Amino acid sequence: MANPKKQKMSRRKFLGISSCALTTAVVGSQVKVLKALAKSGDISEPVAAITKDVYTSCGMCVNKCGVIARVRDGVIHKLDPNPNFFPKSRGMLCARGNAGTKVVYDPDRLKYPLIRVGERGEGKWRRASWEEALDMVTNNMNQIAEKYNRASMMFASTEGTFSEHFFLQLAECYGTPNTLRHPTLCLSSNIQGFSATFGTNPTPDVKNADYIIMSGANRAEALMTPDSIDMIKTDGGGRRKLVYLDPRFTKTAAKADEWYPIKPGTDMAFILALINVIITEGLYDDDFIEENTVGFEQLAQHIKQYSPGWAATECDIPAKDIRRIAHEFANAAPSAVYYQGRRSSFFQNDTQMRRAMAILNAIVGAWDTKGGLLPNKKIALTKHDYLAPWYDDVPDRLDKGGVTYLSEKDGSWPVFRDRALAADPYPIKGMMVYKQNVLVSVPDRAKSLELMKQMDFICTIDITMSDTAWYSDVVLPEATYLERLDPPENLSGPVPVVAFRQPCVEAMFESKTNFWIMQQLAKRLGPEIAETFDFTMEEHIHHMLKKKPEIYDALFGKGVYYEDTEPEYGRLKGKRLRTRSGKIELYSEKYAKKGLDPLPVYKSPDKVPTNMYRLLVGRHAYFTHGTTANNALLHDLMPENTLWLAPSEARKLRLKNGQMVKVKSKVGEEKLKLEITEKIRPDSVYMAHGFGVLSKGLSNIAGVGGSDAALIESKYCPISGNCAMHETFVQITPA
Amino acid sequence: MLNLAERKKTYQIFSDLFRYPDQPSQAASAQSVADLSQLLHLDFPPELSQVPALREMEVAYTHLFVNSLGGTPAPPYGSVYLDAGNLLMGETSLKVEACYAAENLNLQGSDEPPDFLATELEFLYYLLDEEEAALAAGDTARQAELTNKQIVFFENYLSSWLPDFCERIAARSSDPFYLWIAEALQLFNRMEMALFEKVRKNSISELPTTS
Ligand code: SF4
């Protein structure tokens, strides 16, 4: 398999002669024809065109599956799964993973640095040299630092790139605390709720669990990774069972043993009722609770109010089913999990809802045991240390104190944006974006546009012309994940592995790696910052692996490094957890001290107003976040999104299947096609995320669906800062 | 019917015009438009009596051929039209590259894929230039060989996608400059097709060298 040092050769230097795969290497003098073509001087011996298999990692979603790129005649011909040990990919690639070549060979990929010449968003661009574009970026960054403050620059980025840390490093070294990462658009309430209970956000051992309950975690669609199959695999009525709660009949619902169309926002009531049954009927694991938890007494008291009868009216799930499920769950335990889901940006009570899940798992002893929740492990890599320059007058993060637990690096998008719009307590005037499609992924697009309008300068680094790139001043083309040498990435989990990326082909056009871009910007920002980036990627990799040099050979030799192939159950037995008490906190003293509910307290979701519907959003199997919507191979599978509405409601509104409808919320209005379907509750409507590209006139381009970000109000969980994406009501009228 | 020198010049002009504009090419474009108009007997609209400023050309070119929201209207790459999947670096891109290599030409001066329109036009310019040299040297065998290469390359890798490409420009652009260039390219494509058809039918033994 390819080693970047040995095989870094230019496709252009080794021209493939169609089928015979012999090429002519060019040496000696060159005589130009006009511009592109040059007459070669001497001709050396023919050499074989680049045909090789390259180990790397998928970059189409966060799962980072192992890939073998089949390079034929210098072109990536096909992507195959890496059959070597990869617990998350298991020798498989999903539809998106297979479509990865399209990212490289997309005629619409960003090719050259672009500089805006018309009004922002007007769509007038010109090409620029890297030199000019980079100078423009750093001149603007310096001006903003001088005119306002270094903190007036914000850096927004996304996960899964293996290079995001270089972007964050530049932000830190430039001197701004204002980095905005993706967790508050995704799973920060999950992390918060489970960490408050277990001291970590564990991984459910779904492969071995006999009983799995899921709340709206549509793993057969929203994040269909190869290991999702474990979650939806049942044994046809045998011991193994999947119970699935979702207001929609999703693909996961279709695979489940039982599906309940739960009233949106009431999952916590269902969970609390399960806990109620398990405690009142003595079905919990006494010894486990005694040894490993704190606060059971308080929990037992607290839970009394949440009977199955009460929950039934809240959730629209019969009390007898709740009771039976509680029994079945407790019987299967500890090989039973209430799966916490991935995206947890549903309701404002999300952190407490995830806490309820964590507590339920804990009282049946489904922790650190086969089929339960497993604490994650990591393979230690050496970190890249650097000394960020010190600036005296840089204030705290803009969103500091806006929510109870704010992650210093992630921030909270909705809180941050509101304060930035009010310049409270200081203005935000510059925006660096790395592959985050702010206008598509952050709820309430009108506010995001407002935010972008107030910027003195916006630079976006991406691989395609996203809506956000379109609203920028400078757009820099990044090399795609199949063209980059990326640092090793520690994929933590019950069975951790180290993965990496190496270039399968040379980066096309003038696209560059994020690392190169950061180095160039750092150089321009001054020697002190440049010094923190003064290494090559190869040096960086060797530094990271210096304690375990064998990882290097494993990565280049088989694409992955691992130490165990099975989880180590009972690994933390008798050890102190990373909670205040060192135990599993059923009752959270920490929350009590912060004035938060120490035990999850249920509050009914707001009632759906008459003539309105609750807007539900979700992802589907072909797209991940906003970033894959441009991919034509995937786009053919799902060219536009539709609005799901129940037949009874469609009749009331006199709407027909397939007609265009107007969807109006407090913050926006979108037009898209109506899909009348029994697959959704009558009180809700649904649309898939990631559609509805803006045009010059700020309206969506026809035939590409509607944007959920334009409709969702910017509500959020006050504990974690996570967006609450299912708390928007909409009206539907014919378009 | 255009003669060899005229065809060569036409390829050169089109190759220049379909490359990203710069100061020299903008400065030359007034002449290019005038020359094309004369060569192809195609009037240009009055607003083109003054070619656009460089900035305007850059904006229009970037929109049409480089990047645009929702996709560039007319990607200038053969494989997008000729191979399945709407992709760069398809099978035909490699074959085009092999054609260059067979002439001992490399792509050192370009960051574009081999089947970038301007480069394909440059290649045909090269073949015509070589043919001119063969003619001057009285090497008829070489001349015939080069004629044949033009036909093969033109018909296999260029001619068939130009109509679609030019129509996309016409459908999605309001820029008079590139609209006219696209119209001119369509016309030239038809002229070349007709010419090669005649060669094939042996109605003329070789391509016209003088008009
Ligand atoms: S799940 Fe699919 S898209 Fe995600 S990393 Fe794996 S193959 Fe790629």
Side-chain angles (χ1 to χ4, degrees):
Chain A
M1 285 283 170
N3 173 320
K5 281 185 180 161
K6 289 183 199 146
Q7 302 239 354
K8 177 102 180 72
M9 38 189 170
S10 156
R11 180 181 53 74
R12 261 172 240 120
K13 289 190 190 111
F14 296 88
L15 304 170
I17 298 179
S18 62
S19 54
C20 68
L22 285 179
T23 68
T24 308
V26 174
V27 289
S29 59
Q30 307 269 320
V31 183
K32 272 203 170 178
V33 177
L34 289 172
K35 213 41 183 238
L37 294 168
K39 187 84 179 166
S40 311
D42 315 327
I43 307 170
S44 69
E45 287 293 294
V47 291
I50 297 182
T51 285
K52 58 180 179 179
D53 297 330
V54 190
Y55 285 127
T56 191
S57 308
C58 183
M60 299 290 279
C61 87
V62 296
N63 214 48
K64 296 141 192 146
C65 295
V67 169
I68 301 176
R70 310 286 182 196
V71 179
R72 301 291 174 261
D73 293 343
V75 176
I76 305 169
H77 174 67
K78 184 166 180 280
L79 300 175
D80 279 330
N82 182 349
N84 290 318
F85 182 75
F86 254 94
K88 283 183 164 189
S89 59
R90 316 261 173 75
M92 287 183 269
L93 289 181
C94 76
R96 288 158 308 175
N98 274 304
T101 47
K102 177 70 176 92
V103 170
V104 182
Y105 301 122
D106 181 0
D108 280 313
R109 64 177 284 172
L110 290 173
K111 306 171 181 78
Y112 301 96
L114 298 174
I115 290 180
R116 173 174 69 81
V117 294
E119 290 301 307
R120 196 175 277 157
E122 193 190 1
K124 290 191 172 170
W125 298 93
R126 68 174 173 89
R127 264 175 64 175
S129 67
W130 271 104
E131 197 69 16
E132 184 191 5
L134 293 163
D135 283 349
M136 188 174 212
V137 175
T138 49
N139 286 342
N140 275 284
M141 287 171 77
N142 286 331
Q143 271 172 26
I144 285 165
E146 253 170 54
K147 212 163 147 194
Y148 313 99
N149 187 290
R150 288 180 180 271
S152 296
M153 278 295 304
M154 62 178 283
F155 281 60
S157 57
T158 199
E159 200 266 354
T161 62
F162 287 21
S163 304
E164 189 190 7
H165 58 291
F166 294 128
F167 184 77
L168 298 173
Q169 181 183 331
L170 188 79
E172 188 185 353
C173 292
Y174 165 79
T176 178
N178 289 317
T179 48
L180 273 296
R181 298 185 62 250
H182 95 295
T184 56
L185 306 171
C186 185
L187 78 175
S188 60
S189 54
N190 230 336
I191 299 173
Q192 178 51 233
F194 273 75
S195 300
T197 316
F198 293 105
T200 179
N201 187 19
T203 301
D205 188 13
V206 286
K207 192 174 165 195
N208 295 307
D210 287 327
Y211 205 94
I212 304 171
I213 310 178
M214 286 188 184
S215 271
N218 182 13
R219 284 304 296 256
E221 254 176 308
L223 189 62
M224 185 57 190
T225 61
D227 57 331
S228 308
I229 288 156
D230 294 339
M231 302 178 199
I232 53 181
K233 175 173 71 184
T234 63
D235 60 4
R239 187 168 154 73
R240 200 180 151 96
K241 194 163 194 181
L242 170 62
V243 174
Y244 182 69
L245 276 49
D246 198 313
R248 292 192 297 131
F249 185 75
T250 61
K251 297 216 160 62
T252 311
K255 296 275 174 202
D257 297 287
E258 291 179 29
W259 165 61
Y260 295 93
I262 187 169
K263 192 196 291 171
T266 66
D267 303 71
M268 199 211 269
F270 175 78
I271 302 162
L272 293 173
L274 294 182
I275 299 174
N276 172 294
V277 175
I278 289 170
I279 293 184
T280 52
E281 299 189 24
L283 306 171
Y284 51 88
D285 186 334
D286 224 349
D287 294 343
F288 180 87
I289 290 171
E290 176 69 30
E291 204 179 315
N292 298 289
T293 70
V294 294
F296 184 71
E297 300 307 308
Q298 290 106 313
L299 174 69
Q301 274 305 317
H302 173 75
I303 212 73
K304 282 184 182 152
Q305 55 189 313
Y306 302 124
S307 70
W310 159 84
T313 47
E314 280 297 323
C315 325
D316 290 350
I317 298 177
K320 67 172 190 345
D321 287 327
I322 298 178
R323 230 176 245 115
R324 176 180 50 80
I325 292 167
H327 280 258
E328 289 174 357
F329 187 78
N331 273 340
S335 180
V337 280
Y338 204 113
Y339 173 67
Q340 70 261 54
R342 191 102 202 159
R343 176 173 76 89
S344 57
S345 55
F346 297 165
F347 284 81
Q348 292 174 74
N349 72 355
D350 231 299
T351 295
Q352 292 288 13
M353 197 265 267
R354 309 291 154 177
R355 259 225 1 112
M357 288 180 183
I359 291 168
L360 170 66
N361 285 310
I363 60 167
V364 295
W367 163 253
D368 200 10
T369 180
K370 194 168 180 176
L373 295 175
L374 303 181
N376 294 324
K377 261 168 97 176
K378 248 186 177 187
I379 294 167
L381 303 178
T382 310
K383 268 180 68 182
H384 163 55
D385 284 322
Y386 54 89
L387 204 61
W390 176 258
Y391 305 97
D392 278 334
D393 54 347
V394 176
D396 284 332
R397 287 192 61 95
L398 189 76
D399 44 5
K400 186 158 179 110
V403 296
T404 322
Y405 294 105
L406 186 79
S407 153
E408 274 295 322
K409 279 259 183 278
D410 303 346
S412 169
W413 249 114
V415 181
F416 183 92
R417 190 179 52 193
D418 280 348
R419 290 199 181 170
L421 286 172
D424 172 23
Y426 54 85
I428 298 293
K429 289 292 188 179
M431 197 169 182
M432 289 291 288
V433 183
Y434 176 43
K435 290 191 80 170
Q436 199 182 66
N437 196 354
V438 175
L439 291 177
V440 169
S441 52
V442 188
D444 200 346
R445 185 171 69 185
K447 273 192 186 176
S448 302
L449 280 164
E450 210 39 52
L451 179 74
M452 293 182 84
K453 236 181 246 160
Q454 76 172 32
M455 295 292 159
D456 285 359
F457 179 71
I458 307 170
C459 167
T460 294
I461 302 164
D462 210 322
I463 54 169
T464 56
M465 186 61 97
S466 66
D467 284 17
T468 306
W470 191 247
Y471 277 83
S472 305
D473 303 323
V474 173
V475 174
L476 304 177
E478 197 202 14
T480 66
Y481 72 95
L482 293 164
E483 301 167 316
R484 298 197 303 255
L485 177 62
D486 274 347
E489 180 96 351
N490 197 329
L491 308 183
S492 67
V495 185
V497 303
V498 179
F500 84 130
R501 290 198 183 113
Q502 55 177 326
C504 308
V505 289
E506 203 186 340
M508 288 187 72
F509 301 98
E510 286 184 10
S511 61
K512 298 281 185 194
T513 63
N514 174 279
F515 176 59
W516 183 89
I517 299 169
M518 293 304 112
Q519 275 186 319
Q520 294 300 315
L521 293 174
K523 228 186 260 173
R524 285 166 172 77
L525 287 169
E528 247 188 305
I529 301 180
E531 205 178 301
T532 69
F533 283 96
D534 189 18
F535 49 86
T536 65
M537 185 58 84
E538 281 81 1
E539 286 167 353
H540 182 61
I541 293 175
H542 282 292
H543 171 79
M544 288 179 78
L545 305 181
K546 76 177 177 202
K547 286 200 193 121
K548 288 191 174 175
E550 64 274 24
I551 299 180
Y552 189 89
D553 292 334
L555 290 179
F556 287 102
K558 55 182 180 184
V560 62
Y561 173 82
Y562 54 91
E563 291 168 352
D564 315 306
T565 54
E566 283 300 325
E568 188 189 337
Y569 300 116
R571 187 166 66 85
L572 296 187
K573 197 169 163 48
K575 298 213 174 97
R576 220 189 128 74
L577 301 184
R578 292 164 76 178
T579 54
R580 198 168 277 206
S581 61
K583 301 224 173 201
I584 299 169
E585 303 204 339
L586 305 176
Y587 176 95
S588 173
E589 196 62 51
K590 171 175 112 167
Y591 275 20
K593 287 224 164 76
K594 287 271 184 192
L596 303 172
D597 292 331
L599 287 159
V601 175
Y602 180 77
K603 192 177 150 283
S604 300
D606 289 345
K607 269 188 111 171
V608 182
T610 20
N611 297 327
M612 293 188 101
Y613 300 89
R614 183 181 293 283
L615 176 66
L616 305 176
V617 297
R619 310 182 195 284
H620 59 96
Y622 308 127
F623 296 164
T624 322
H625 309 142
T627 52
T628 35
N630 243 345
N631 189 315
L633 289 183
L634 299 173
H635 205 268
D636 286 347
L637 297 174
M638 184 155 179
E640 61 184 300
N641 59 350
T642 54
L643 187 81
W644 289 21
L645 179 69
S648 56
E649 297 303 308
R651 268 193 301 278
K652 255 192 244 164
L653 299 175
R654 296 170 191 276
L655 295 171
K656 285 203 189 76
N657 195 32
Q659 85 172 82
M660 293 297 287
V661 288
K662 224 189 277 172
V663 188
K664 193 172 179 322
S665 74
K666 266 193 195 148
V667 299
E669 187 179 295
E670 288 289 282
K671 278 183 209 157
L672 70 167
K673 233 182 235 165
L674 185 72
E675 182 174 341
I676 300 176
T677 172
E678 297 277 7
K679 292 189 288 190
I680 187 152
R681 286 173 59 98
D683 55 3
S684 306
V685 292
Y686 162 80
M687 66 198 277
H689 168 74
F691 290 83
V693 180
L694 280 173
S695 74
K696 284 183 199 172
L698 286 196
S699 60
N700 283 359
I701 291 171
V704 297
S707 158
D708 56 345
L711 296 168
I712 307 171
E713 294 169 39
S714 49
K715 296 178 180 169
Y716 56 89
C717 159
I719 303 177
S720 64
N722 209 7
C723 287
M725 300 197 186
H726 293 175
E727 300 219 35
T728 298
F729 300 113
V730 293
Q731 258 171 335
I732 318 291
T733 48
Chain B
M1 196 173 289
L2 300 178
N3 67 27
L4 199 156
E6 288 167 337
R7 291 175 56 230
K8 181 178 131 184
K9 184 168 181 180
T10 311
Y11 276 113
Q12 178 181 4
I13 293 173
F14 276 124
S15 178
D16 285 346
L17 290 174
F18 280 104
R19 227 176 282 121
Y20 188 75
D22 56 13
Q23 205 67 60
S25 68
Q26 194 276 342
S29 58
Q31 191 58 48
S32 299
V33 169
D35 288 348
L36 271 187
S37 164
Q38 202 180 19
L39 285 162
L40 306 176
H41 302 294
L42 182 69
D43 290 342
F44 54 83
E47 60 262 40
L48 273 195
S49 55
Q50 253 202 327
V51 294
L54 177 60
R55 189 48 47 86
E56 274 175 60
M57 281 169 85
E58 289 173 332
V59 169
Y61 188 99
T62 306
H63 165 67
L64 280 168
F65 309 126
V66 184
N67 283 118
S68 195
L69 190 66
T72 39
Y77 308 100
S79 64
V80 168
Y81 307 85
L82 299 176
D83 298 321
N86 185 35
L87 295 173
L88 301 173
M89 292 309 291
E91 241 176 82
T92 54
S93 320
L94 295 181
K95 287 184 179 159
V96 163
E97 191 166 27
C99 291
Y100 302 160
E103 292 305 307
N104 194 19
L105 294 174
N106 64 66
L107 271 165
Q108 293 291 321
S110 171
D111 278 319
E112 295 280 343
D115 52 355
F116 175 50
L117 176 59
T119 310
E120 295 196 340
L121 293 162
E122 179 174 343
F123 182 62
L124 282 156
Y125 161 87
Y126 167 82
L127 293 177
L128 281 153
D129 189 54
E130 288 284 293
E131 190 185 343
E132 214 172 40
L135 181 75
D139 187 346
T140 47
R142 170 84 178 138
Q143 205 197 332
E145 182 197 329
L146 285 157
T147 301
N148 199 41
K149 282 183 176 168
Q150 288 163 43
I151 297 178
V152 169
F153 187 83
F154 179 82
E155 290 187 343
N156 286 330
Y157 307 120
L158 183 60
S159 175
S160 60
W161 65 272
L162 288 184
D164 190 2
F165 170 75
C166 293
E167 275 153 28
R168 289 198 201 189
I169 296 175
R172 294 270 304 274
S173 175
S174 54
D175 180 82
F177 183 73
Y178 284 104
L179 277 174
W180 188 79
I181 306 289
E183 192 190 336
L185 182 64
Q186 279 263 49
L187 177 61
F188 181 55
N189 186 33
R190 285 197 294 271
M191 288 164 74
E192 287 290 90
M193 278 196 291
L195 178 68
F196 292 145
E197 193 55 36
K198 273 191 190 158
V199 175
R200 203 193 319 277
K201 283 188 186 148
N202 257 340
S203 58
I204 45 174
S205 58
E206 58 196 33
L207 299 184
T209 51
T210 52
S211 43

